[in-house]
């Protein structure tokens, strides 16, 4: 009987285990089936949304007001028909001829037979599905040509400077500060308000204040002085240069990457530093006074800097490169906090040559309005509030208004000024001169003075600036963490 009972118990336990395991298998199969159905339906929905023409319509009708998030503003710029980045779909502009100007049946002799740009078919990818957007600014795709092809697209002739053909600069050995100071500095020559007004009156020949007032040439007894052996080097002719600066040890040098051998051979990379930063480099990097280099960067030591504010000193090479390098055709400025990660020829082809532009700068990813930018600067304590208020009130009296859609095709009044891509021609040289004069007269926050300098020139001549998307800027420069850079340069 005991044996019989044991066998019955074993059968019961076996039955219960099989029944339990069977239910688990069925439940698992049901869960797997449900997950498969959800995956198929989700893929179908996302694919349907991506292919739906309504997605573009919904973005085109988005409110342009301040209640948009930064990423939705950037996406709006990607997809709105009014965006100034429609050039990614336009026929290639070669030597100032392209688009509707090209006769398809009789192309100019210097154009290839196909004369369409390889990036003509490039377009931004569709926006992410609702709820899946990554917060904050980020890079976006950019269509570049290979460096060799990019260089082949360099315009044969300079961009035509509208009206202004001859620009010279005021020199004065002993500039006198007015009794009732109107701002400015000895380095800038203390331009009066009358001088300022005249600098916006565009004529065929002009003479304006543009820093380096004293001395025989920029860098020689002018303030912002450079060693004689280096000065001769700056007079050399180059098609392209890349430049940056560190004053006051604020940044650590970032080595450019993805630079072609052709660019390494033909494009000089110049880094301006003050004596304080120079001493720091000698103690912490591969720099020696014999080679005057850190990686690709040719180090230029500046003596007798004109300002006590290191950031204001940095505006001298940033905005006045054409004065330091009088025989250079194109320049790319990169703030020292950023690492260049795309070849310079590719950047120039994408943002100047392809768009038939002479000046390119990215717009701020979040703020489009000078008045909003001023308040943000005050909140972040970027400069003393009274000086910011004075500058903004001055511009308001001159007619500066908040940014609205009425200003289109101008897409922003606030640049992200950490990179500047430009051709050195009279009109761009004048623009950076008057922009520098605003920085010299008012605060060093160049985002506040950009729009007034641009708009006053545009009132006189037909000239525009390519203000491309900030996410495109983030594609060719990136901010490297300090510890990564330290490892790179402390040999």
């Amino acid at each position: 009987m005991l044996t019989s009972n044991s066998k019955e118990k074993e059968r019961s336990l076996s039955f219960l285990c099989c029944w339990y395991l069977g239910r688990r298998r069925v439940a698992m199969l049901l869960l797997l089936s449900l997950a498969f159905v959800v995956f198929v339906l989700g893929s179908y929905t996302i694919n349907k949304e991506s292919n739906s023409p309504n997605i573009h319509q919904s973005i085109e009708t988005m409110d342009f007001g301040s209640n948009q998030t930064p990423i939705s503003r950037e996406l709006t710029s990607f997809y709105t028909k009014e965006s100034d980045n429609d050039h990614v779909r336009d026929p290639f502009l070669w030597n100032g001829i392209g688009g509707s100007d090209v006769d398809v049946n009789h192309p100019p002799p210097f154009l290839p037979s196909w004369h369409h740009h390889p990036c003509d078919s490039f377009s931004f990818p569709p926006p992410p599905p609702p709820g899946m957007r990554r917060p904050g600014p980020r890079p976006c795709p950019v269509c570049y040509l290979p460096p060799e092809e990019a260089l082949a697209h360099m315009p044969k002739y300079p961009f035509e400077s509208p009206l202004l053909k001859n620009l010279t600069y005021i020199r004065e050995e002993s500039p006198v500060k007015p009794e009732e100071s109107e701002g400015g500095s000895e380095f800038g020559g203390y331009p009066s308000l009358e001088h300022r007004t005249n600098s916006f009156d565009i004529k065929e020949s002009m003479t304006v204040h543009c820093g380096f007032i004293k001395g025989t040439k920029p860098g020689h007894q002018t303030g912002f002085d450079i060693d004689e052996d280096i000065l001769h080097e700056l007079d050399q002719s180059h098609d392209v240069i890349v430049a940056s600066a560190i004053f006051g040890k604020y940044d650590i040098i970032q080595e450019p990457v993805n630079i072609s051998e052709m660019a390494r051979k033909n494009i000089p990379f110049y880094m301006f530093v003050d004596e304080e930063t120079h001493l720091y480099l000698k103690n912490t990097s591969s720099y020696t006074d014999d080679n005057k280099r850190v990686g690709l960067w040719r180090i230029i030591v500046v003596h007798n800097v004109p300002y006590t504010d290191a950031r204001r000193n940095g505006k001298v090479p940033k905005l006045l490169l054409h004065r330091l390098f009088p025989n250079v055709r194109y320049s790319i400025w990169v703030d020292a906090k950023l690492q260049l990660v795309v070849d310079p020829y590719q950047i120039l082809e994408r943002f100047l040559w392809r768009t038939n532009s002479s000046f390119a700068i990215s717009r701020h990813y979040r703020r489009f309005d000078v008045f909003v930018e001023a308040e943000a600067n005050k909140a972040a304590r970027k400069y003393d509030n009274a000086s910011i208020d004075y500058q903004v009130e001055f511009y308001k009296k001159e007619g500066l208004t908040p940014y609205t859609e009425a200003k289109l095709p101008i897409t922003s009044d606030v640049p992200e000024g950490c990179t500047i891509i430009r051709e050195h021609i009279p009109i761009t040289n004048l623009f950076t001169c008057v922009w520098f004069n605003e920085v010299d007269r008012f605060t060093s926050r160049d985002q506040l003075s950009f729009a007034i300098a641009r708009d006053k020139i545009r009132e006189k001549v037909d000239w525009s600036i390519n203000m491309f998307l900030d996410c495109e800027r983030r594609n060719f420069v990136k901010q490297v963490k300090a510890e990564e850079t330290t490892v790179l340069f402390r040999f």
Side-chain angles (χ1 to χ4, degrees), residues 84 92 477-478:
D84 69 345
F92 177 52
V477 290
K478 70 174 184 178

Side-chain angles (χ1 to χ4, degrees), residues 50-78:
S50 298
N51 295 326
S52 171
N54 292 330
I55 202 161
H56 292 274
Q57 182 180 357
S58 64
I59 292 175
E60 286 172 8
T61 56
M62 286 174 68
D63 179 26
F64 201 74
S66 58
N67 58 347
Q68 282 186 256
T69 63
I71 192 62
S72 68
R73 285 173 180 263
E74 199 79 350
L75 286 169
T76 302
S77 300
F78 285 1

Side-chain angles (χ1 to χ4, degrees), residues 9-198:
K9 287 179 180 179
E10 287 176 1
R11 290 193 192 97
S12 299
L13 287 170
S14 298
F15 173 77
L16 288 171
C17 287
C18 292
W19 177 79
Y20 176 72
L21 291 174
R23 290 194 64 177
R24 287 193 65 181
R25 290 194 187 97
V26 171
M28 186 65 71
L29 287 171
L30 287 172
L31 284 172
L32 288 172
S33 300
L34 181 62
F36 179 75
V37 170
V38 169
F39 174 77
V40 171
L41 289 175
S43 299
Y44 172 76
T45 303
I46 291 173
N47 188 54
K48 183 177 179 182
E49 288 180 354
S50 298
N51 295 326
S52 171
N54 292 330
I55 202 161
H56 292 274
Q57 182 180 357
S58 64
I59 292 175
E60 286 172 8
T61 56
M62 286 174 68
D63 179 26
F64 201 74
S66 58
N67 58 347
Q68 282 186 256
T69 63
I71 192 62
S72 68
R73 285 173 180 263
E74 199 79 350
L75 286 169
T76 302
S77 300
F78 285 1
Y79 297 101
T80 53
K81 292 180 179 178
E82 292 83 7
S83 170
D84 69 345
N85 284 274
D86 285 345
H87 55 244
V88 297
R89 294 179 292 277
D90 289 343
F92 177 52
L93 297 169
W94 193 321
N95 285 349
I97 300 179
S100 60
D101 296 328
V102 175
D103 184 346
V104 177
N105 297 319
H106 301 90
F110 54 81
L111 283 175
S113 57
W114 46 271
H115 81 263
H116 285 296
H117 193 273
C119 291
D120 275 353
S121 59
F122 174 79
S123 60
F124 289 111
M132 295 181 64
R133 293 174 180 167
R134 291 168 51 192
R138 66 188 192 278
C140 56
V142 175
C143 183
Y144 300 110
L145 294 185
E148 295 78 8
E149 291 184 37
L151 176 58
H153 290 153
M154 181 185 290
K156 186 176 180 180
Y157 302 106
F159 187 95
E160 185 177 358
S161 178
L163 186 56
L164 176 62
K165 307 302 179 188
N166 182 38
L167 182 65
T168 55
Y169 310 104
I170 292 174
R171 287 183 56 248
E172 189 177 351
E173 279 305 316
S174 302
V176 179
K177 185 176 182 179
E179 292 183 6
E180 294 183 5
S181 176
E182 297 174 324
S185 67
E186 184 178 56
F187 177 78
Y190 301 112
S192 65
L193 289 177
E194 182 180 1
H195 283 132
R196 180 179 181 273
T197 300
N198 291 339

